[in-house]
Amino acid sequence: MQITRRQVVRELIGNNIVPQQDSATAFASSNIALCKYWGKRDVELNLPVTSSLSISMSHLGASSKISIAEDKQDQIFLNTQYMSPNTIFYRRLVAFLDLFRPTQDTVFKIDTKTNIPVGAGLASSACGFAATVKALDKLFDWNLSPQQQSVLARIGSGSACRSIYDGFVLWQAGYKENGMDSYAQRLDYTWDELRVGVLLVDERQKSITSSDAMQATVETCPFYKTWPEIVEHAINNTQHAIDTKDFWLLGATAEANALAMHALMLSTTPSIIYTQAATLDYMHLVWRARAEGLGVFFTQDAGPNLKILFLSKDEPRVRAFFMDMEIVAPFSMVTEVIGCDYV
Ligand code: 2P0
């Protein structure tokens, strides 16, 4: 029998939904999967077919301020702009908030601020839901462990469970029906020299959501059955690369895994193609740079933008190839984030 989101929430927090303060704010970093989550074994609970491994993006992310409002319906603001109840963003967030209303008449106000483009395959929903879970934890004074917060965030959006943490993060697929063993954990490694560059191709909202795209892939891609083995192999290689600081293995594995995910989408019916002409141009530029001996690799999510991986020593040369790009040092000390204190 299908276990509902509400049942999972009750198991975690009981009936503990009495606000302990007027408002609460929290920040969560965006995360980039090096080994991708693509496909659900349970759509209601966002339980994945495979494990996945990501890196959090330091100060790039979202803050979420949540308060109880005196209004008729939830008020949601994104970067100070009022969100219409017709938007997907509004509906997904309200469906999530429904799980935490002290009474049926309780209305929330959410003020989300983000410093990354929304809906362009840069994991904006991941950090948005993770920040909201952290803020709810403060508002209701639950004191949930990061692991429990990760389960709640997953219910909002699968990859959000990884945005609860900094650094390298492993989301274990788990096997239980209620998903209590499907949460992310931080891997105890740092890699100070690692850099992630964001190559923006198109910041517009994508035409098909990740949820719909992955479901179509699971249902119609004739090669989907090869995916679990591909990801398992990639996760093993990535963990080994992190352990031995083998950057070329890390980069080559991430790039191959992203291309494999997009190959699945290409062979889905109807085909799903997030790649644009400019995306391909950037891929060729990465390959050209590598042919010249530069250690640079790309990864691509459910959108046309690319993230490139390289080491700090190569930053000047990488910059010469990709001039217009934001660079993140995932393991740098973060002292300031958008919208609130960094906690
Ligand atoms: C990932 N993506 O591992 C993969 C790779 C995009 C490409 O997780 O339906 O917004 O909320 O569970 O997490 C984006 O999908 O999907 C995603 P839901 P989500 O980062």
Side-chain angles (χ1 to χ4, degrees):
M1 208 177 60
Q2 174 69 54
I3 292 165
T4 65
R5 291 155 31 124
R6 204 168 283 278
Q7 285 171 312
V8 174
V9 168
R10 286 296 161 265
E11 194 165 329
L12 282 169
I13 59 163
N15 287 320
N16 197 355
I17 40 177
V18 181
Q20 301 297 315
Q21 45 197 311
D22 293 340
S23 71
T25 310
F27 172 84
S29 302
S30 140
N31 77 78
I32 304 297
L34 302 174
C35 307
K36 311 291 187 191
Y37 150 53
W38 200 252
K40 306 180 194 201
R41 65 182 161 86
D42 183 322
V43 173
E44 162 84 5
L45 301 178
N46 291 333
L47 295 176
V49 172
T50 71
S51 299
S52 56
L53 195 157
S54 62
I55 184 151
S56 287
M57 294 287 272
S58 183
H59 68 283
L60 284 191
S63 74
S64 179
K65 178 179 180 188
I66 182 156
S67 40
I68 307 290
E70 301 286 328
D71 239 305
K72 286 201 187 71
Q73 59 179 2
D74 293 332
Q75 303 291 308
I76 296 177
F77 294 86
L78 179 59
N79 292 332
T80 69
Q81 257 196 321
Y82 173 75
M83 297 302 289
S84 153
N86 301 325
T87 55
I88 296 177
F89 183 89
Y90 183 97
R91 276 188 263 139
R92 278 191 84 178
L93 196 49
V94 167
F96 187 63
L97 294 173
D98 282 344
L99 301 165
F100 310 101
R101 286 184 210 283
T103 68
Q104 279 199 327
D105 305 330
T106 305
V107 168
F108 290 109
K109 179 182 175 208
I110 301 246
D111 210 331
T112 297
K113 293 201 172 73
T114 178
N115 48 13
I116 53 173
V118 176
L122 284 167
S124 53
S125 77
C127 53
F129 275 102
T132 299
V133 165
K134 288 182 178 186
L136 286 167
D137 184 74
K138 287 185 190 173
L139 186 77
F140 294 115
D141 203 18
W142 292 326
N143 282 311
L144 292 178
S145 67
Q147 203 168 296
Q148 291 170 317
Q149 291 183 16
S150 180
V151 169
L152 277 189
R154 176 199 12 97
I155 285 174
S157 174
S159 54
C161 75
R162 300 187 308 237
S163 270
I164 295 292
Y165 308 89
D166 297 328
F168 291 115
V169 178
L170 178 66
W171 173 11
Q172 289 285 4
Y175 59 88
K176 290 187 180 169
E177 263 180 76
N178 67 2
M180 284 303 178
D181 58 351
S182 184
Y183 50 78
Q185 279 178 303
R186 189 182 196 283
L187 298 177
D188 193 16
Y189 289 96
T190 54
W191 195 337
D192 291 338
E193 299 81 13
L194 197 63
R195 297 290 178 271
V196 184
V198 182
L199 295 176
L200 284 179
V201 168
D202 190 342
E203 294 192 45
R204 284 172 300 180
Q205 293 264 350
K206 53 203 176 195
S207 53
I208 173 166
T209 66
S210 305
S211 301
D212 289 345
M214 65 176 87
Q215 203 47 32
T217 310
V218 171
E219 284 166 13
T220 72
C221 172
F223 311 114
Y224 188 73
K225 54 182 173 302
T226 62
W227 180 242
E229 204 180 313
I230 291 172
V231 186
E232 192 186 331
H233 189 62
I235 290 177
N236 286 340
N237 276 347
T238 304
Q239 286 191 292
H240 181 67
I242 294 170
D243 197 23
T244 56
K245 296 260 165 77
D246 182 340
F247 174 73
W248 283 69
L249 178 62
L250 182 97
T253 305
E255 190 173 298
N257 187 254
L259 288 169
M261 179 184 76
H262 284 275
L264 294 182
M265 287 188 244
L266 203 57
S267 48
T268 290
T269 308
S271 256
I272 300 159
I273 305 181
Y274 288 115
T275 301
Q276 296 181 10
T279 317
L280 280 174
D281 288 343
Y282 272 135
M283 287 181 184
H284 282 285
L285 201 53
V286 168
W287 291 326
R288 210 169 73 211
R290 218 153 68 224
E292 291 181 18
L294 192 56
V296 57
F297 296 84
F298 66 80
T299 183
Q300 180 187 3
D301 292 296
N305 306 304
L306 294 186
K307 274 70 75 171
I308 56 170
L309 303 164
F310 55 95
L311 294 175
S312 52
K313 69 177 172 60
D314 291 325
E315 190 165 324
R317 281 180 73 198
V318 170
R319 272 231 183 265
F321 270 95
F322 308 95
M323 275 159 237
D324 204 12
M325 130 181 104
E326 170 139 20
I327 295 177
V328 175
F331 294 96
S332 63
M333 275 282 288
V334 177
T335 48
E336 237 182 75
V337 288
I338 187 168
C340 64
D341 295 335
Y342 185 69
V343 278

